[in-house]
Structure formats: C-alpha cells, structure tokens
Amino acid sequence: RVQLVESGGGSVQSGGSLTLTCAVSGYTYSHFLIGWFRRTPGDGREGVAAIDGDDKLAYADSVQGRFTISKDNTNTIVNLQMRDLKPEDTAMYYCAAVGGHPPYEALGIMTAGRQGAWGQGTLVTVPS
C-alpha cells in the first residue's frame, strides 16, 4: 500500500522560506497524483497544491505565486517549496495520494478530507 512520509517543517520568520518533502513508496494507483494539504490550529483544512504524473499542477488561491510543487522523475519525491511565508501559513502540512482526479479537483477533495492515504505530517510555524 502507498506510504507517504513528510519532512522539512520548522519555524521560520515571516517572509522566510521552507521546502517540505514527501517521500512516496508503494504507489500502485494507475493515475499518479500527490497533493499537499494543511490543517491549522483551529482545525481548518485546506488543500494547497497538487501535481500529477504529467506534471499538471494546481494551487489554492491562498498560496498561488508563493508555493511551488514539484516531483522527481521517479515519482518518489514530491517537494513543496514555500516562500514569503506568513503567520497564516502556520499549520500541520500533510502529503496525500489522490489518484484518479485532476489536480484542481484534488485540492477540493483534500479540503473535504476525502483524500486517500496521507502521511504523519510536518509542522510549519510562522510566528506573528
């Protein structure tokens, strides 16, 4: 079964940058798609970025232009580069498998909590 392991979180000053990494193994769905979603301290949930096997991308409006999702050629590493971080980006970040949907649909699926497998998460803190 698919396993996802996130890393790279930490505390960063407002305006700073971080890169999160998702290590992907055991992915057997016919359509590859990995997304990132976040859960805020108030238990809000938001799908923020997604990428499929053809490198089609989607971003939430809240992160468009600041976050960049990418993957390696073997589909085993998916990175989320985050820049110009703001206090409202403070959240636990998770990567998730959302096969069978285009990237823009995957954002809504993750926001609704209907994604497939996801990892243990990595915490990003941007103090105000």
Side-chain angles (χ1 to χ4, degrees):
R1 62 182 180 89
V2 61
Q3 291 189 311
L4 306 165
V5 180
E6 303 93 338
S7 61
S11 181
V12 62
Q13 294 297 316
S14 184
S17 301
L18 276 177
T19 296
L20 307 183
T21 296
C22 177
V24 183
S25 61
Y27 197 107
T28 58
Y29 304 136
S30 59
H31 175 251
F32 181 87
L33 191 143
I34 294 292
W36 286 91
F37 69 94
R38 61 188 180 186
R39 296 184 67 175
T40 62
D43 208 30
R45 177 193 292 262
E46 181 183 26
V48 297
I51 185 169
D52 73 5
D54 295 324
D55 288 330
K56 294 189 179 69
L57 313 174
Y59 296 98
D61 289 345
S62 59
V63 306
Q64 180 76 48
R66 299 187 299 121
F67 290 14
T68 302
I69 190 170
S70 63
K71 65 177 182 63
D72 69 351
N73 290 334
T74 63
N75 292 344
T76 58
I77 295 292
V78 178
N79 289 323
L80 185 68
Q81 296 175 281
M82 309 183 294
R83 62 179 179 85
D84 191 21
L85 284 161
K86 306 174 182 181
E88 52 264 42
D89 294 317
T90 294
M92 186 71 82
Y93 284 73
Y94 302 85
C95 60
V98 197
H101 299 275
Y104 70 92
E105 282 188 10
L107 298 183
I109 288 168
M110 290 185 288
T111 299
R114 294 187 288 112
Q115 70 281 345
W118 66 94
Q120 83 288 348
T122 187
L123 180 64
V124 173
T125 303
V126 187
S128 56

PDB file of all heavy atoms in Angstrom, residues 17 19 22 26 46 54 60 62 87 90 101 124:
ATOM      1  N   SER A  17      11.436  31.240   3.971  1.00  0.00           N
ATOM      2  CA  SER A  17      11.158  30.138   3.049  1.00  0.00           C
ATOM      3  C   SER A  17      11.427  28.795   3.717  1.00  0.00           C
ATOM      4  O   SER A  17      12.252  28.701   4.636  1.00  0.00           O
ATOM      5  CB  SER A  17      12.044  30.253   1.804  1.00  0.00           C
ATOM      6  OG  SER A  17      11.837  31.475   1.132  1.00  0.00           O
ATOM      7  N   THR A  19      11.231  24.345   2.452  1.00  0.00           N
ATOM      8  CA  THR A  19      10.868  23.329   1.470  1.00  0.00           C
ATOM      9  C   THR A  19      10.475  22.053   2.193  1.00  0.00           C
ATOM     10  O   THR A  19      11.262  21.518   2.980  1.00  0.00           O
ATOM     11  CB  THR A  19      12.026  23.039   0.497  1.00  0.00           C
ATOM     12  OG1 THR A  19      12.314  24.219  -0.262  1.00  0.00           O
ATOM     13  CG2 THR A  19      11.660  21.918  -0.458  1.00  0.00           C
ATOM     14  N   CYS A  22       7.992  15.117   0.507  1.00  0.00           N
ATOM     15  CA  CYS A  22       7.147  13.936   0.692  1.00  0.00           C
ATOM     16  C   CYS A  22       7.834  12.764  -0.007  1.00  0.00           C
ATOM     17  O   CYS A  22       8.030  12.798  -1.227  1.00  0.00           O
ATOM     18  CB  CYS A  22       5.766  14.182   0.103  1.00  0.00           C
ATOM     19  SG  CYS A  22       4.647  12.763   0.178  1.00  0.00           S
ATOM     20  N   GLY A  26       5.324   2.571  -2.634  1.00  0.00           N
ATOM     21  CA  GLY A  26       4.185   1.668  -2.724  1.00  0.00           C
ATOM     22  C   GLY A  26       2.993   2.216  -3.484  1.00  0.00           C
ATOM     23  O   GLY A  26       1.870   1.719  -3.331  1.00  0.00           O
ATOM     24  N   GLU A  46      -7.200  22.736   4.395  1.00  0.00           N
ATOM     25  CA  GLU A  46      -7.138  23.344   3.064  1.00  0.00           C
ATOM     26  C   GLU A  46      -6.184  22.567   2.177  1.00  0.00           C
ATOM     27  O   GLU A  46      -5.033  22.354   2.556  1.00  0.00           O
ATOM     28  CB  GLU A  46      -6.666  24.798   3.159  1.00  0.00           C
ATOM     29  CG  GLU A  46      -6.585  25.515   1.821  1.00  0.00           C
ATOM     30  CD  GLU A  46      -6.036  26.927   1.934  1.00  0.00           C
ATOM     31  OE1 GLU A  46      -5.281  27.206   2.877  1.00  0.00           O
ATOM     32  OE2 GLU A  46      -6.372  27.760   1.060  1.00  0.00           O
ATOM     33  N   ASP A  54       1.815  13.777 -15.131  1.00  0.00           N
ATOM     34  CA  ASP A  54       2.172  14.564 -16.312  1.00  0.00           C
ATOM     35  C   ASP A  54       2.635  15.964 -15.952  1.00  0.00           C
ATOM     36  O   ASP A  54       2.733  16.829 -16.820  1.00  0.00           O
ATOM     37  CB  ASP A  54       0.973  14.665 -17.258  1.00  0.00           C
ATOM     38  CG  ASP A  54       0.577  13.315 -17.835  1.00  0.00           C
ATOM     39  OD1 ASP A  54       1.483  12.499 -18.097  1.00  0.00           O
ATOM     40  OD2 ASP A  54      -0.637  13.074 -17.974  1.00  0.00           O
ATOM     41  N   ALA A  60      -3.997  26.372  -4.416  1.00  0.00           N
ATOM     42  CA  ALA A  60      -5.037  27.173  -3.786  1.00  0.00           C
ATOM     43  C   ALA A  60      -4.720  28.649  -3.986  1.00  0.00           C
ATOM     44  O   ALA A  60      -3.547  29.038  -4.070  1.00  0.00           O
ATOM     45  CB  ALA A  60      -5.098  26.853  -2.291  1.00  0.00           C
ATOM     46  N   SER A  62      -4.782  30.948  -1.944  1.00  0.00           N
ATOM     47  CA  SER A  62      -4.064  31.496  -0.790  1.00  0.00           C
ATOM     48  C   SER A  62      -2.558  31.332  -0.893  1.00  0.00           C
ATOM     49  O   SER A  62      -1.809  32.026  -0.199  1.00  0.00           O
ATOM     50  CB  SER A  62      -4.565  30.837   0.505  1.00  0.00           C
ATOM     51  OG  SER A  62      -4.366  29.431   0.451  1.00  0.00           O
ATOM     52  N   PRO A  87       2.215  34.380   8.851  1.00  0.00           N
ATOM     53  CA  PRO A  87       1.690  33.709  10.057  1.00  0.00           C
ATOM     54  C   PRO A  87       0.491  32.809   9.748  1.00  0.00           C
ATOM     55  O   PRO A  87       0.344  31.753  10.373  1.00  0.00           O
ATOM     56  CB  PRO A  87       1.307  34.887  10.955  1.00  0.00           C
ATOM     57  CG  PRO A  87       2.265  35.967  10.573  1.00  0.00           C
ATOM     58  CD  PRO A  87       2.428  35.816   9.078  1.00  0.00           C
ATOM     59  N   THR A  90       0.900  29.042   9.163  1.00  0.00           N
ATOM     60  CA  THR A  90       1.166  28.129  10.274  1.00  0.00           C
ATOM     61  C   THR A  90       0.149  27.001  10.272  1.00  0.00           C
ATOM     62  O   THR A  90      -1.068  27.234  10.304  1.00  0.00           O
ATOM     63  CB  THR A  90       1.109  28.875  11.608  1.00  0.00           C
ATOM     64  OG1 THR A  90       2.182  29.824  11.658  1.00  0.00           O
ATOM     65  CG2 THR A  90       1.221  27.917  12.784  1.00  0.00           C
ATOM     66  N   HIS A 101      -8.078  11.793 -10.098  1.00  0.00           N
ATOM     67  CA  HIS A 101      -8.693  13.120 -10.217  1.00  0.00           C
ATOM     68  C   HIS A 101      -7.683  14.098 -10.783  1.00  0.00           C
ATOM     69  O   HIS A 101      -6.498  13.975 -10.539  1.00  0.00           O
ATOM     70  CB  HIS A 101      -9.157  13.623  -8.848  1.00  0.00           C
ATOM     71  CG  HIS A 101     -10.180  12.756  -8.207  1.00  0.00           C
ATOM     72  ND1 HIS A 101     -11.534  12.862  -8.476  1.00  0.00           N
ATOM     73  CD2 HIS A 101     -10.049  11.742  -7.311  1.00  0.00           C
ATOM     74  CE1 HIS A 101     -12.185  11.964  -7.770  1.00  0.00           C
ATOM     75  NE2 HIS A 101     -11.325  11.268  -7.054  1.00  0.00           N
ATOM     76  N   VAL A 124       4.727  23.406  10.311  1.00  0.00           N
ATOM     77  CA  VAL A 124       5.308  24.674   9.881  1.00  0.00           C
ATOM     78  C   VAL A 124       4.761  25.772  10.787  1.00  0.00           C
ATOM     79  O   VAL A 124       3.539  25.911  10.940  1.00  0.00           O
ATOM     80  CB  VAL A 124       4.966  24.974   8.408  1.00  0.00           C
ATOM     81  CG1 VAL A 124       5.432  26.376   8.021  1.00  0.00           C
ATOM     82  CG2 VAL A 124       5.596  23.927   7.495  1.00  0.00           C
TER      83      VAL A 124
END
